[in-house]
Structures are given as C-alpha cells and as structure tokens.
Amino acid sequence: MIKAVIIDDIEQARITFRKDLEVYAPDIEVVGEASGVVEGAKLLKHTKIDILFLDIQMQDGSGFDLLDILPEIPFKIIFITASDAHAIKAFRYAAIDYLLKPVDPDELIEALKKFRNHNHNEQDNYRLLNESLKQSNKVQERLALHAQDKIHIVQIADIIRCESNVNYTEFFFTNSKRIVVSRTLKDFEDILGELGFFRVHQSHLVNTKMIQEFVKVEGGHLIMSDGKMIPVSTRKRADVVKMLEQL
C-alpha cells in the first residue's frame, strides 16, 4: 500500500478527499490527517509516508511554511489549491502536480498516475514554486523541465527555441545544451507566450530576443542566434512580420 497524509485546514475537504481516494485510488492508505502547519509538521516528523496531499493556504500559515520546518522531504507532494490564476501559472512553471478544489476524479487519477511513474526528487521544484507564488508582479525568470533522467531548473532567458516532436518538446539553449521534455509544444506556448516567445510554425516556438534575421525568400525562415534556420509557416508569416516590427 502507498502511505499518504492529507493536510488541509477544512475538515470537510479532508473527509471528501479521503473518500475520493478510497474510490479512485484503493492502493493508497491515508495514515494521518492534519488541519494546519504546526499539527502537520508534528505528524510528518513521526510518520513515514510516500505521498503528501497538501493545501497551500491554511489558517496558521502556508504549505511552504510547513515544508520549511521539515529537515528533508523524502516523499512526493501533490498540492491542493483553490482556482487561482496566479497559483495555477506558478505550478506550470515549476512543473509540479496540483489539484484544484473541488477535486475532479479524472485529474486525481492522472496526478496519481504521474506519481507512480516518476521518482524524481523535486526539492528544487518546490523552491521554484514558492518563489513563483511570491512574485505575483514580477516576470518569471526560471522554468522546471522534467527530462527522463532528471528535473532541470533553467533560466528562461537562456532558451533559444523549442521544437515539437509529437508529444515531446526539445529545448535548445545558448550554451548548446539540449533538453527533451515529455510535454507538448502547445503547453510551453501557453507558459512562455507572455515572456517573448512566439509560435512561428506548427513545430517551432522561438525566443524573439534570439532572432537575428528574417529571410523572406522561399516561404520565409528565421535565422536564430545559434545559426539555425527555422521555417515560418505561411499562416504565421504576416504575424511574424508584425511581431518583428514591434521588437
């Protein structure tokens, strides 16, 4: 059995979530519950678990206040949060699983599927998530990328471009590094589109700061800072010209 703890300051939320786990995840055993930071820290110090379901905002502090108290985090965390646009954006930057209240059974099943398939240490991701949640009025500077072997925390400014390969996305960086991530290009277009990245082709998302030239002949293509030629789709050509004029 997978051992779990639920920490949420609303008792009814804990009861409902426990029942959801009984129905949709019978291999998970809830070995404890807590209603806040202090109670949760005491519980976790004496309870060995595999997964923690953690509310972010509670009466006596945040979920991150709780994590700061713990000497280490040897378990996986799935956060539970209210429908807050800024919080959701922060989770996407940090590539950390979360569930929105009220919890949708399909999303719960999907989050638990990821938990069973990944054994990465996400300590750095939790720090990035906390940082993102606190910087509501600042431009996000870092992004977590889940590769097959590890989680990479990268500087967004160092990304030259992203290229689609079916359900995978390959990132290309200024130091010639490459990282392949098992998420679609559309996912990263949604995340990076407001940070100076532009989808110029079905398979290509580019950092506009890394564009050196736009060659208009033969349908049109971009020359990037790494010297690579990136095709511009016919449908995107007018938008690309307009975007370049505004740089």
Side-chain angles (χ1 to χ4, degrees), residues 11-244:
E11 182 180 10
Q12 186 57 52
R14 298 197 305 273
I15 293 172
T16 300
F17 191 70
R18 182 192 279 266
K19 290 180 179 178
D20 285 340
L21 289 176
E22 291 173 355
V23 174
Y24 300 106
D27 61 332
I28 293 181
E29 177 187 5
V30 178
V31 296
E33 297 181 12
S35 61
V37 173
V38 176
E39 185 181 347
K42 291 178 180 177
L43 173 62
L44 291 173
K45 283 181 179 179
H46 303 289
T47 309
K48 186 176 181 180
I49 63 170
D50 303 297
I51 187 168
L52 170 64
F53 296 98
L54 180 62
D55 191 12
I56 292 184
Q57 296 299 333
M58 295 176 282
Q59 292 294 324
D60 62 345
S62 73
F64 293 102
D65 295 329
L66 168 61
L67 298 181
D68 287 341
I69 295 172
L70 302 176
E72 59 178 343
I73 306 173
F75 44 79
K76 171 78 172 181
I77 301 172
I78 295 181
F79 289 91
I80 303 173
T81 181
S83 183
D84 176 89
H86 173 58
I88 292 170
K89 186 181 296 184
F91 278 108
R92 297 176 71 192
Y93 278 113
I96 285 180
D97 289 327
Y98 67 94
L99 295 169
L100 289 178
K101 296 179 179 180
V103 175
D104 180 274
D106 291 337
E107 293 179 359
L108 172 60
I109 292 169
E110 183 62 27
L112 293 174
K113 179 180 177 181
K114 292 179 182 177
F115 158 74
R116 294 181 178 96
N117 293 335
H118 293 95
N119 294 313
H120 296 303
N121 185 324
E122 296 188 331
Q123 193 95 21
D124 289 338
N125 297 55
Y126 301 141
R127 294 193 188 99
L128 177 56
L129 176 58
N130 193 13
E131 171 187 306
S132 301
L133 288 168
K134 290 177 179 178
Q135 295 181 350
S136 59
N137 297 317
K138 295 182 180 180
V139 175
Q140 187 65 34
E141 297 179 349
R142 301 195 297 163
L143 178 69
L145 300 177
H146 276 252
Q148 187 173 10
D149 58 337
K150 64 178 71 173
I151 299 169
H152 301 264
I153 307 295
V154 303
Q155 294 292 326
I156 293 172
D158 293 337
I159 301 169
I160 297 175
R161 59 191 180 91
C162 313
E163 185 173 341
S164 172
N165 183 7
V166 191
N167 290 325
Y168 292 83
T169 299
E170 186 169 8
F171 282 73
F172 297 80
F173 295 86
T174 53
N175 61 358
S176 299
K177 185 177 182 178
R178 297 183 179 187
I179 298 175
V180 178
V181 183
S182 59
R183 291 177 64 183
T184 67
L185 189 63
K186 179 63 169 63
D187 289 335
F188 292 108
E189 180 185 10
D190 292 341
I191 295 172
L192 298 172
E194 60 187 28
L195 298 175
F197 285 73
F198 198 87
R199 186 84 173 261
V200 299
H201 185 277
Q202 181 179 355
S203 300
H204 298 280
L205 177 70
V206 303
N207 184 346
T208 58
K209 295 182 179 66
M210 299 292 179
I211 298 173
Q212 291 190 334
E213 298 178 13
F214 175 44
V215 181
K216 297 182 179 180
V217 299
E218 298 179 359
H221 60 267
L222 299 172
I223 306 295
M224 303 302 295
S225 62
D226 59 356
K228 299 297 182 181
M229 294 193 309
I230 305 300
V232 175
S233 69
T234 303
R235 185 172 59 88
K236 288 286 188 176
R237 183 184 174 101
D239 292 334
V240 168
V241 171
K242 183 177 179 180
M243 175 268 293
L244 291 173

